[in-house]
Amino acid sequence: MSPYPHLLAPLDLGHVVLPNRVLMGSMHTNLEETRDWNRVAEFYAARARGGVALMVTGGMAPNREGGVFPGAAGLFGADDVANHRVVTKRVHDAGGRIAMQVLHAGRYAYCKDCVAPSPIKSPISPFPPNELDEAGIEKQIADIATSAARAREAGYDGVEVMGSEGYLLNEFLVTHTNKRTDRWGGSYENRMRFPLEVVRRVREVVGEDFILIYRISLLDLVPEGSTFDEVVTLARAVEAAGASILNTGIGWHEARVPTIATSVPRAGFAWVTRKLMGKVGIPVIASNRINTPEVGESVLAEGCADMVSMARPFLADPEFVTKAAQGRAEEIAPCIACNQACLDHTFSGKISTCLINPRACHETELTYDPAPVPRRIAVVGAGPAGLMAALVAARRGHGVTLFEKAARLGGQLNMARMIPGKEEFEGLVAWFETMVAKAGIDLRLCAEASVSDLKGFDEVIVATGVTPRDPEIPGQDRANVLSYVDVLAKGAEVGKRVAVVGAGGIGFDVAEFLVQGGDSPTLHPEEWRAEWGVADPETRRGGVAAPQPEPPARQVTLLQRKPEKPGRRLGKTTGWIHRAALQMKGVKMLGGANYERIDENGLHVTFGPSRENPTLVEADTVVLCTGQESVRGLADALAREGIEAHVIGGADVAAELDAKRAIDQGARLAARL
Ligand code: NAP
Ligand code: SF4
């Protein structure tokens, strides 16, 4: 009996039978833009080998004006078709299937030539779009159909027409962006005309034996979005126009509701997909925050969808499906939905990868080949850097001993998992525990390695991590002052009025921890939806309601010295969520502060270089979150004894350390030992 009978059941699409119900959703990785087609092919082939039923590529522009950014990849001619054939052939040789996403960005295209149904600028783009005339509309439809035809020529098994997320097709559908009075605007019938014409023309050129997925926006999460009646009307019409599968799209890019971040409940939008079940005759796919086989299985078993889409989980682990099928689900590297190495990279123009799997999108460059000569390796410190170094070294055949002075491995990850909305970090620590045990690593917990313990190893890796930085504020040794370690790791009592000193990632995390009263809303989807203002689209157009956050458990002031808006340097795609979450809880954020002293009344500050505006931030407790310093005692002691060691992670460079950099450094070191 299969451990996941629904997830692993085949799906008959008529001309083709998919082996299971798992789709790898589209991700823009910036890989195609490298034009290193061998690398692109290897990325997809690795996922095909891992058993996923069908993959969708990153969005391919149908023309220059529809590209997400200037130079965005697309299929523009014979050369491109030949390049893409390298990818499709490699995927087919690996036993997989792949569809190409055609993405016309509409007014989200980052260029002055961007086009839209009406000339209304998006709040997230500097470019007002050019209003399409009749000929312009025909050109867009023809270009989309042509690129679908080229996809078939290039050997793809299908296309996904991107109709959601606020891109061009979606823009035609709603009055928020479509103010036209001709046959492409006004009534819903008219507003549907563009996406329907696209689907009809695509089906016409690709023929019947070709998968056509339509990504439909089930919940726009913007004012004047679609009602659910309209969504159902569109879904049926798209089916009639020739689509073979409907995939779920949630939220426009400009929506002020998180839709895929780690604080979104698991499968947090499957309830919307469920509403469509039974309303159409073609399979329906659920999406967003489905990241384990258990979650996928229950989405299907509960009748929310016919298939599940997961995207980032396939960056974290290309073998997701194979491991699930073989009853090895606990070995699947978990996507923690942090966005740190995937979307944050994509939106910074860098190639995507994964915090937990630095090989993602680097398959041809970072390899874990068997070591020519197995050696004895000591790793000191079982935080992210040390753990990854130990795992990769063991995988390559080295004998690894891992020393950790705490009673549980995980290092700083153990503090992250205490933060409401960061529960996924628990799964990451658990995964490391499983993998360390399976790899046969000699794990020594509660063991502080000394220089003499390390003599006799062929290689020593020092990953001793970080310690909180001393901010040297007069009065900081008082009983009403705590460090973030006291709060998160030791459960110290915190008063009702709190000043949090330092507004980096940890200052924000601590503030979120302190304002949360009971359980994390991430674990209570209804509460989460109320907090962010997500409504049923049957009752509220676009699913938009007024946010109703719970009152804060504490009154928190968050401070930093830099004279800028706190939180500006947080993750590119997630920083706004942290800032909005704290604003909803009434957290006061102050930049440009000088910390003068702490006394029984709280924190005394002044502002600016000339120390003006003396102010008392009244606080029962002051929590210090002022960054970290490297712990290098062991590294220095080894150096004094003439023992050469590799120093990685926070012990190497503490500034702006995060798990992504630590894991990457650990993996790359162990890959070459
Ligand atoms: P951080 O991001 O470097 O922030 C340290 C904070 O302390 C800053 O606000 C800094 O701002 C302040 N500070 C630095 N030196 C100070 C001093 N001598 N006196 C007073 N204030 C001082 O470090 P962190 O918050 O400890 O986070 C550590 C790492 O973990 C970060 O790199 C971060 O990426 C990662 N992390 C990320 C997340 C996330 O959500 N992505 C969450 C948690 C942690 P001023 O200098 O302006 O005062
Ligand atoms: Fe998931 Fe984070 Fe990896 Fe992206 S970087 S795939 S969100 S774990």
Side-chain angles (χ1 to χ4, degrees):
M1 168 83 180
S2 153
Y4 307 104
H6 295 85
L7 196 71
L8 301 176
L11 180 66
D12 191 347
L13 294 176
H15 73 281
V16 63
V17 178
L18 300 180
N20 57 61
R21 305 296 178 107
V22 184
L23 176 99
M24 179 174 115
S26 172
M27 285 177 282
H28 207 107
T29 58
N30 286 337
L31 258 188
E32 280 87 355
E33 281 76 10
T34 65
R35 305 194 69 77
D36 179 346
W37 297 99
N38 177 48
R39 184 173 178 180
V40 181
E42 200 38 49
F43 168 73
Y44 287 112
R47 274 88 199 148
R49 286 193 292 273
V52 64
L54 177 64
M55 297 178 284
V56 182
T57 66
M60 295 293 142
N63 52 30
R64 306 288 173 197
E65 62 270 30
V68 177
F69 51 85
L75 256 71
F76 300 120
D79 278 3
D80 278 337
V81 169
N83 293 333
H84 282 247
R85 272 212 193 102
V86 177
V87 179
T88 56
K89 178 167 187 320
R90 194 84 59 87
V91 167
H92 293 151
D93 288 349
R97 288 191 178 79
I98 185 163
M100 188 189 89
Q101 187 186 71
V102 186
L103 165 62
H104 191 308
R107 69 177 190 157
Y108 284 160
Y110 196 81
C111 74
K112 64 176 179 30
D113 296 329
C114 63
V115 295
S118 301
I120 306 165
K121 196 180 85 63
S122 129
I124 57 169
S125 166
F127 302 106
N130 301 288
E131 184 174 27
L132 285 163
D133 59 15
E134 188 72 30
I137 287 176
E138 168 51 32
K139 176 182 184 300
Q140 305 311 313
I141 297 171
D143 287 350
I144 294 172
T146 302
S147 90
R150 286 193 186 125
R152 176 156 196 155
E153 210 186 320
Y156 284 102
D157 301 276
V159 285
E160 177 173 80
V161 173
M162 181 42 143
S164 62
E165 259 75 3
Y167 291 119
L168 184 68
L169 275 65
N170 213 174
E171 287 160 19
F172 269 91
L173 284 166
V174 301
T175 52
H176 181 62
T177 40
N178 184 348
K179 308 285 183 195
R180 302 179 75 96
T181 52
D182 59 4
R183 67 193 187 105
W184 304 99
S187 67
Y188 192 61
E189 200 187 344
N190 280 354
R191 283 183 273 133
M192 275 196 312
R193 194 181 305 281
F194 183 84
L196 290 184
E197 196 53 19
V198 165
V199 175
R200 196 185 63 73
R201 295 267 288 274
V202 167
R203 177 53 83 198
E204 203 173 83
V205 296
V206 296
E208 287 307 310
D209 55 344
F210 197 68
I211 300 168
L212 198 172
I213 308 167
Y214 183 84
R215 183 101 172 256
I216 184 167
S217 183
L218 296 187
L219 200 60
D220 291 325
L221 297 175
V222 291
E224 289 182 74
S226 294
T227 66
F228 203 67
D229 270 354
E230 289 171 344
V231 169
V232 173
T233 306
L234 175 69
R236 289 180 174 147
V238 163
E239 178 182 4
S244 27
I245 304 181
L246 288 171
N247 192 4
T248 295
I250 300 287
W252 288 36
H253 286 314
E254 67 202 60
R256 293 287 87 188
V257 176
T259 54
I260 60 165
T262 190
S263 56
V264 175
R266 284 179 168 186
F269 292 97
W271 60 276
V272 199
T273 310
R274 183 185 210 154
K275 286 171 160 297
L276 199 57
M277 291 292 279
K279 305 264 192 315
V280 288
I282 50 177
V284 176
I285 305 178
S287 175
N288 292 46
R289 285 290 281 121
I290 299 169
N291 66 339
T292 70
E294 286 74 20
V295 177
E297 176 68 15
S298 56
V299 166
L300 298 175
E302 286 164 17
C304 296
D306 301 294
M307 199 171 179
V308 289
S309 168
M310 293 179 245
R312 297 169 297 171
F314 284 98
L315 292 178
D317 199 331
E319 293 179 283
F320 186 104
V321 176
T322 304
K323 287 180 180 173
Q326 294 174 348
R328 296 159 53 214
E330 75 281 6
E331 290 179 38
I332 296 173
C335 166
I336 55 172
C338 64
N339 285 0
Q340 271 176 259
C342 50
L343 282 170
D344 284 353
H345 276 211
T346 306
F347 286 98
S348 315
K350 293 194 265 186
I351 291 178
S352 290
T353 181
C354 172
L355 172 135
I356 185 63
N357 175 23
R359 289 202 68 222
C361 299
H362 295 75
E363 284 81 6
T364 52
E365 164 243 337
L366 176 60
T367 55
Y368 302 152
D369 302 324
V373 184
R375 274 176 289 175
R376 294 188 64 227
I377 298 183
V379 181
V380 184
L387 282 166
M388 199 63 181
L391 284 180
V392 174
R395 175 173 164 167
R396 297 189 55 230
H398 295 303
V400 180
T401 304
L402 176 57
F403 298 89
E404 167 56 51
K405 73 173 190 239
R408 190 180 185 193
L409 54 71
Q412 304 277 311
L413 298 175
N414 285 311
M415 279 187 272
R417 72 189 168 84
M418 303 306 293
I419 309 301
K422 289 200 164 179
E423 291 79 10
E424 292 289 354
F425 279 82
E426 173 61 40
L428 182 53
V429 176
W431 177 78
F432 274 124
E433 284 173 335
T434 301
M435 299 312 281
V436 164
K438 295 224 171 203
I441 290 167
D442 177 8
L443 173 64
R444 312 229 179 128
L445 293 173
C446 305
E448 198 156 356
S450 64
V451 172
S452 63
D453 293 329
L454 300 171
K455 287 183 177 160
F457 284 95
D458 300 319
E459 302 278 354
V460 176
I461 299 175
V462 175
T464 42
V466 291
T467 189
R469 178 186 289 133
D470 177 358
E472 298 176 8
I473 303 171
Q476 67 178 28
D477 47 358
R478 298 179 57 89
N480 60 343
V481 184
L482 301 171
S483 86
Y484 66 88
V485 181
D486 299 323
V487 176
L488 298 177
K490 300 183 184 159
E493 281 224 1
V494 179
K496 281 285 174 195
R497 300 168 309 159
V498 191
V500 175
V501 177
I506 291 179
F508 267 76
D509 275 0
V510 165
E512 286 188 49
F513 177 84
L514 294 173
V515 292
Q516 186 57 47
D519 254 11
S520 161
T522 301
L523 304 176
H524 299 278
E526 250 178 65
E527 225 176 87
W528 183 88
R529 290 200 292 272
E531 184 145 313
W532 287 98
V534 177
D536 188 335
E538 273 186 69
T539 54
R540 304 295 292 260
R541 197 171 258 287
V544 180
Q548 290 176 302
E550 288 287 314
R554 293 182 180 82
Q555 181 194 317
V556 174
T557 307
L558 179 60
L559 302 104
Q560 71 178 21
R561 299 173 306 175
K562 280 187 280 300
E564 62 182 34
K565 213 166 112 190
R568 244 194 61 193
R569 295 158 199 247
L570 296 176
K572 191 142 182 114
T573 61
T574 52
W576 71 271
I577 301 171
H578 297 295
R579 290 190 295 270
L582 292 190
Q583 270 155 12
M584 285 199 291
K585 297 285 191 185
V587 171
K588 205 165 159 191
M589 299 186 213
L590 301 174
N594 310 302
Y595 310 122
E596 301 297 348
R597 68 182 191 283
I598 299 169
D599 62 20
E600 67 279 14
N601 299 313
L603 174 66
H604 294 264
V605 293
T606 57
F607 291 90
S610 45
R611 307 188 102 83
E612 290 160 355
N613 192 13
T615 305
L616 167 66
V617 178
E618 290 182 29
D620 307 309
T621 310
V622 177
V623 184
L624 304 177
C625 305
T626 51
Q628 288 91 19
E629 310 278 359
S630 299
V631 175
R632 295 188 61 101
L634 179 65
D636 294 343
L638 287 166
R640 281 195 298 273
E641 296 264 332
I643 300 173
E644 216 175 288
H646 308 274
V647 184
I648 59 171
D652 176 26
V653 182
E656 289 172 18
L657 175 76
D658 59 22
K660 178 185 79 170
R661 179 153 65 81
I663 287 174
D664 186 74
Q665 195 181 16
R668 284 175 191 276
L669 167 67
R672 34 168 223 273
L673 284 181

